[in-house]
Amino acid sequence: MPIISPMPTTLRHLAMLRRIPRAPAFITTPDLRSALESLDYTVDIRTVQRDLEALSSVFPLYCDTSSKPFRWQWLAGGEVFDIPGIDAHSALVFKLAGMFLEPLLPVSAMETLMPYFRCADRVLGESGARCGSWSDKVRVLPRGQRLLMPDVSRTVLDGIHQGLFFGRMVKILYKSRGKQDFKEYLINPLGLVLRNGLIYLVCTFSGYEDIRQLLLHRMRQAEVVNEPCAVPDGFDLDGYIQDQEFDLARGRPDIPLRFRFRAVPASALYETPLSADQVITPLADRQWVEVSATVADTDQLRWWLLGFGNQVEVLEPVALREEFCAIAQDMGRLYAASDSV
């Protein structure tokens, strides 16, 4: 009788374990079978069930049998399962990543990553003081004014993640800015974007083709439905972002920007230029420089320039200069009025 190699079964089991989410998220047995089929593991539903039952005797897996189909998850607080285990240098990267992400992500998002950070702490501790001390010698400081991030419901985060992962529509309860009540929507999730600590869902509403941006912290519910996600023809998340959609674009084409800038803050532009065609020309008094660059015409550009106050004078384009003149006059009137209070 020929000997059958156990290797295909072992690889299938590893693939299954990697696709079972950590609590409180679940994956159903049919969804797990579909995920395996996408990896060219052709098995019937009964085989998947037997595999899960066997694996649960070894690994901290939990099966929710309260409804059908049954749902599976890794128990919360369990060790991170990965092969091969991370080495000390990889653990250090995880440690620094945690320090960087902590001020940027809502608590619920950080909680999903905590098992990996705890694993990194354990590896660094086992590696001795020399390697572990690196984490005491590096700090990550946020740029700009630090704001307290709004939290995102863990169930919302899990629902959106599952919708994106399985390519399915999601039913959400969403409250728009300035509104008092939540409204129910059926959406096609297309991608997630983290910007300034806020998590945006790029999506379309069912029956519509215009692309929207929804903030996850304004959602109260996100439930995956058994309908495939409808992706607009030619949609690409990178292309969408490159079109300045997250910079609140004012129009096209890009504008030739020219402005006077005090020399001291302008020094940063030598290392981090505004564009590939940027030119900085020192002026006669040496206190100022003139900067020219071709940039996107966005609200983000305006916020950046306004952040330097009286250290910047916009010269061109004329329309932008007039816009800044109006802002300066409004601010002058505002502060003049406050002096009389």
Side-chain angles (χ1 to χ4, degrees):
M1 178 180 295
I3 298 176
I4 301 176
S5 171
M7 184 58 69
T9 301
T10 302
L11 294 177
R12 186 179 74 244
H13 286 174
L14 290 174
M16 293 176 66
L17 290 170
R18 290 181 183 276
R19 278 151 185 81
I20 299 174
R22 189 172 296 274
F26 285 92
I27 186 171
T28 66
T29 308
D31 283 342
L32 188 54
R33 177 175 177 266
S34 297
L36 290 173
E37 286 185 340
S38 69
L39 300 173
D40 295 328
Y41 292 107
T42 303
V43 290
D44 57 35
I45 196 71
R46 183 54 189 150
T47 299
V48 174
Q49 292 170 343
R50 285 197 299 266
D51 287 348
L52 288 169
E53 291 169 1
L55 291 170
S56 64
S57 66
V58 180
F59 299 100
L61 302 178
Y62 169 73
C63 179
D64 176 17
T65 59
S66 61
S67 62
K68 291 187 177 181
F70 293 170
R71 306 185 303 167
W72 290 81
Q73 66 179 192
W74 283 92
L75 290 174
E79 291 297 322
V80 174
F81 174 70
D82 206 357
I83 295 177
I86 63 173
D87 58 19
H89 296 289
S90 300
L92 180 59
V93 172
F94 272 105
K95 179 71 174 180
L96 297 180
M99 296 168 62
F100 175 79
L101 292 172
E102 191 273 332
L104 299 178
L105 289 178
V107 174
S108 56
M110 282 296 294
E111 287 177 349
T112 64
L113 299 173
M114 286 308 298
Y116 300 92
F117 299 148
R118 286 197 298 267
C119 179
D121 287 337
R122 185 181 68 253
V123 171
L124 290 175
E126 294 171 353
S127 300
R130 182 177 180 182
C131 181
S133 64
W134 271 103
S135 61
D136 298 324
K137 300 175 182 177
V138 180
R139 291 294 178 264
V140 178
L141 299 178
R143 185 173 184 176
Q145 178 65 39
R146 179 170 178 175
L147 304 175
L148 297 178
M149 294 300 104
D151 199 17
V152 178
S153 164
R154 180 67 178 268
T155 56
V156 165
L157 200 62
D158 289 337
I160 296 300
H161 285 172
Q162 290 189 47
L164 287 167
F165 185 82
F166 292 109
R168 292 184 180 173
M169 301 180 74
V170 180
K171 182 171 63 176
I172 64 170
L173 289 178
Y174 189 78
K175 182 169 67 173
S176 301
R177 175 180 289 178
K179 302 295 184 180
Q180 297 297 320
D181 300 320
F182 286 87
K183 292 186 64 176
E184 183 177 284
Y185 300 98
L186 188 61
I187 61 169
N188 298 289
L190 304 176
L192 286 178
V193 175
L194 174 66
R195 187 168 191 253
N196 297 329
L198 302 177
I199 304 179
Y200 293 82
L201 174 67
V202 180
C203 66
T204 61
F205 288 179
S206 178
Y208 297 87
E209 295 185 357
D210 55 313
I211 298 175
R212 307 286 295 272
Q213 300 171 13
L214 304 181
L215 284 161
L216 258 61
H217 69 266
R218 294 181 186 164
M219 296 182 189
R220 189 171 68 185
Q221 175 183 310
E223 179 184 348
V224 178
V225 299
N226 194 26
E227 293 290 338
C229 177
V231 180
D233 291 339
F235 174 81
D236 174 71
L237 184 61
D238 288 331
Y240 177 76
I241 294 172
Q242 289 171 6
D243 285 340
Q244 312 296 330
E245 296 296 340
F246 276 88
D247 284 334
L248 302 182
R250 292 288 181 123
R252 301 295 183 271
D254 293 348
I255 58 174
L257 176 67
R258 189 167 67 90
F259 61 98
R260 293 174 68 239
F261 204 178
R262 285 201 179 271
V264 173
S267 61
L269 293 182
Y270 288 101
E271 298 176 344
T272 54
L274 285 168
S275 66
D277 64 352
Q278 172 184 284
V279 176
I280 300 178
T281 305
L283 300 181
D285 61 3
R286 297 180 179 275
Q287 300 299 311
W288 292 79
V289 299
E290 184 176 299
V291 182
S292 63
T294 303
V295 296
D297 186 12
T298 65
D299 282 355
Q300 187 68 40
L301 171 67
R302 287 157 175 77
W303 298 333
W304 181 76
L305 289 169
L306 287 169
F308 290 101
N310 63 356
Q311 300 182 90
V312 165
E313 179 190 1
V314 175
L315 303 175
E316 292 179 349
V318 174
L320 185 61
R321 177 179 175 84
E322 292 175 347
E323 185 179 327
F324 272 61
C325 285
I327 292 173
Q329 290 169 4
D330 287 344
M331 291 181 67
R333 285 191 292 268
L334 178 65
Y335 282 99
S338 65
D339 289 340
S340 61
V341 174

